[in-house]
């Protein structure tokens, strides 16, 4: 209530300042009153002096005094009855009433149509505006608030851990993955996330926790290349260059000929050979079976083996044009039907292999928009972007 009284006082002060010219009043002829009275007084003194010197008779002096008195009274009456004086009094009255009534009227209107009894709501606690989608920061804040009051909510830690990882909050991601593993159980995604968070939090160093996670991940998913690569990096960091060279060579042999990670692995393979004092030689090549070659276009498994052989038999220009046409066709199909995660992955890989990075980024953005609300699909797209060097 004191707040509203303060508002009322402030309003009254503002109104008074605006109406000040009316409260002060306007100049009138009353400012001439002191000067007029002095003139008449001087005239009376001159008449008395002339009578004393015998210049005028007593009768004439008396008549002059009466005339001066009449003028003095007329001047006083004119000043009293001047319209400006009465108007000033009326304006002062109106100004006083307005200054007093306006705050009272404002409070009365607010009490009638407002909600003075509603509790205050801090800005930080307010939700998004109606119809507006909450931001990532708001969603993360909500999950964090729940986890503070329910720290044993394994599902909450499982949800927020990959979000922390994508936001670059690596130490928090590592802690969240660790809690999710303890509370929800072991899975390949949680092990991979825990290992990745530790590696990124330590500037590429494969820590002991990351190494154990990758070793366990390799047991659960022996076909995945990610744990094998990082275990080779760990061997490098431990000075076991021979072990690292063997793993890199095996990856290059088993991997796709056009895999985006291949140049990086080749560079590390050559570096390890140099440290071992081995002679420079061409990097191991991928196996020459049909399936990997189909994947090397970035369109697998959209192509059958016959299609692959047909493409390989064409001249370079014709083969490139056919691949471009197939990529364009896939792009068009996904514009019409965007709920195809595998199609988006093939398109993004294809653009990357073709060196069209901007198109790959645009396709990644469209894929994420099409997969809004599907956490697993979005996570798969994020992992693909990370592996292709498209993550921002």
């Amino acid at each position: 209530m004191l707040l509203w009284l303060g508002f009322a006082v402030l309003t009254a002060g503002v109104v008074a300042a605006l109406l000040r010219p009316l409260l002060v009043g306007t100049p009138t002829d009353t400012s001439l009153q002191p000067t007029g009275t002095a003139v008449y007084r001087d005239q009376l003194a001159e008449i008395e002096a002339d009578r004393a010197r015998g210049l005028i008779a007593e009768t004439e002096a008396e008549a002059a005094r009466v005339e001066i008195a009449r003028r003095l009274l007329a001047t006083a009456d004119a000043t009293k009855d001047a319209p400006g004086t009465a108007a000033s009094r009326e304006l002062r009255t109106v100004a006083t009433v307005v200054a007093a009534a306006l705050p009272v009227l404002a409070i009365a209107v607010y009490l009638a149509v407002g909600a003075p009894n509603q509790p205050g709501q801090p800005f930080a606690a307010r939700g998004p505006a109606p119809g507006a989608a909450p931001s990532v920061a708001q969603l993360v804040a909500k999950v964090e608030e729940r986890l503070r009051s329910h720290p044993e909510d394994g599902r909450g830690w499982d949800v927020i851990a990959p979000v922390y990882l994508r936001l670059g909050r690596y130490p928090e991601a590592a802690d969240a993955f660790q809690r999710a593993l303890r509370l929800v159980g072991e899975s390949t995604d949680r092990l991979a996330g825990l290992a990745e968070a530790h590696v990124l939090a330590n500037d590429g160093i494969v820590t002991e926790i990351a190494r154990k996670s990758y070793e366990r991940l390799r047991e659960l998913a022996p076909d995945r290349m990610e744990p094998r690569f990082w275990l080779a990096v760990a061997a490098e960091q431990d000075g076991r260059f021979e072990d690292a060279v063997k793993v890199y060579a095996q990856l290059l042999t088993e991997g796709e000929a056009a895999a985006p990670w291949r140049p990086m692995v080749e560079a590390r393979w050559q570096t390890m050979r140099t440290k071992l004092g081995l002679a420079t030689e061409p990097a191991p090549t991928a196996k020459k079976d049909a399936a990997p070659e189909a994947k090397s276009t970035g369109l697998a498994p959209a192509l059958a083996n016959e299609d692959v052989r047909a493409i390989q038999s064409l001249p370079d220009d014709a083969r490139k044009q056919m691949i471009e046409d197939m990529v364009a066709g896939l792009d068009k199909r996904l514009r019409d039907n965007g709920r195809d995660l595998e199609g988006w992955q093939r398109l993004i890989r294809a653009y990357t292999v073709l060196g069209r990075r901007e198109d790959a980024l645009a396709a990644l953005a469209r894929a994420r928009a099409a997969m809004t609300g599907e956490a697993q699909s979005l996570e798969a797209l994020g992992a693909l972007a990370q592996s292709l060097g498209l993550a921002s």
Side-chain angles (χ1 to χ4, degrees):
M1 192 62 186
L2 291 176
L3 178 64
W4 295 110
L5 289 176
F7 287 162
V9 172
L10 289 174
T11 303
V14 171
V15 172
L18 294 175
L19 298 179
R20 186 174 180 278
L22 299 178
L23 294 173
V24 173
T26 56
T28 62
D29 289 341
T30 56
S31 61
L32 299 177
Q33 288 183 14
T35 303
T37 303
V39 170
Y40 293 135
R41 187 179 296 109
D42 291 342
Q43 290 178 350
L44 290 173
E46 290 178 0
I47 293 172
E48 186 62 27
D50 290 342
R51 187 194 63 78
R53 289 196 298 269
L55 297 177
I56 58 174
E58 181 63 30
T59 303
E60 294 174 349
E62 184 63 25
R65 293 193 194 98
V66 171
E67 179 61 22
I68 292 173
R70 184 187 65 78
R71 293 179 182 176
L72 183 60
L73 292 173
T75 302
D77 291 339
T79 302
K80 181 179 179 181
D81 296 334
T85 304
S88 297
R89 286 198 298 269
E90 293 175 359
L91 289 174
R92 291 192 190 96
T93 302
V94 171
T96 302
V97 172
V98 169
L102 191 59
V104 176
L105 180 62
I107 294 175
V109 171
Y110 176 75
L111 293 175
V113 301
N117 296 323
Q118 289 293 325
Q121 187 178 16
F123 181 79
R126 299 177 188 176
S135 65
V136 174
Q138 290 172 330
L139 294 175
V140 171
K142 285 186 177 181
V143 177
E144 289 175 335
E145 182 179 0
R146 172 170 176 76
L147 289 175
R148 279 192 291 269
S149 56
H150 300 83
E152 298 304 310
D153 181 7
R155 180 58 182 163
W157 292 112
D158 196 32
V159 168
I160 203 170
V163 177
Y164 280 150
L165 191 60
R166 298 295 172 258
L167 293 176
R169 298 166 62 174
Y170 304 129
E172 292 160 293
D175 178 67
F177 277 118
Q178 189 73 60
R179 291 172 182 262
L181 282 165
R182 178 175 59 84
L183 296 170
V184 182
E186 195 175 67
S187 73
T188 56
D189 289 340
R190 296 184 192 107
L191 285 169
L194 176 63
E196 182 180 356
H198 272 278
V199 170
L200 293 175
N202 291 275
D203 298 325
I205 302 297
V206 182
T207 63
E208 184 64 16
I209 294 178
R211 185 183 62 78
K212 290 182 178 180
S213 299
Y214 281 131
E215 288 176 348
R216 179 57 179 160
L217 181 60
R218 185 177 180 184
E219 294 175 4
L220 297 176
D223 294 335
R224 291 184 65 159
M225 292 192 173
E226 175 190 358
R228 297 162 64 189
F229 170 77
W230 284 109
L231 288 174
V233 174
E236 275 189 47
Q237 295 169 356
D238 292 341
R240 295 182 285 114
F241 301 146
E242 292 183 358
D243 294 341
V245 165
K246 292 178 181 179
V247 176
Y248 291 144
Q250 189 175 10
L251 290 176
L252 292 171
T253 302
E254 297 176 2
E256 303 174 13
W261 49 263
R262 190 175 182 86
M264 176 184 62
V265 176
E266 287 183 359
R268 300 190 82 100
W269 176 78
Q270 294 286 9
T271 300
M272 291 301 99
R273 287 181 59 84
T274 300
K275 288 186 177 182
L276 290 171
L278 300 176
T280 303
E281 64 180 43
T285 57
K287 292 181 178 180
K288 299 298 184 180
D289 52 20
E293 289 184 18
K295 291 181 180 179
S296 69
T297 63
L299 300 171
L303 300 179
N305 293 340
E306 297 81 358
D307 296 328
V308 175
R309 286 192 291 270
I311 291 175
Q312 290 175 339
S313 65
L314 294 173
D316 291 344
D317 292 342
R319 182 167 60 248
K320 181 178 180 182
Q321 184 61 49
M322 179 173 286
I323 294 175
E324 293 279 359
D325 292 342
M326 296 180 71
V327 172
L330 178 59
D331 193 320
K332 183 179 184 304
R333 180 173 67 78
L334 290 172
R335 290 181 185 274
D336 298 332
N337 178 22
R339 310 297 290 185
D340 181 1
L341 174 61
E342 186 178 354
W344 284 116
Q345 290 173 322
R346 293 201 304 272
L347 180 64
I348 294 168
R349 287 194 189 98
Y351 278 140
T352 303
V353 171
L354 294 173
R356 295 164 59 177
R357 178 179 174 80
E358 294 300 324
D359 291 335
L361 290 172
L364 176 62
R366 285 161 46 207
R368 284 172 169 165
M371 296 295 170
T372 300
E374 298 185 11
Q376 291 183 346
S377 298
L378 292 174
E379 186 173 353
L381 289 170
L384 176 64
Q386 188 78 25
S387 66
L388 297 178
L390 301 176
S392 56

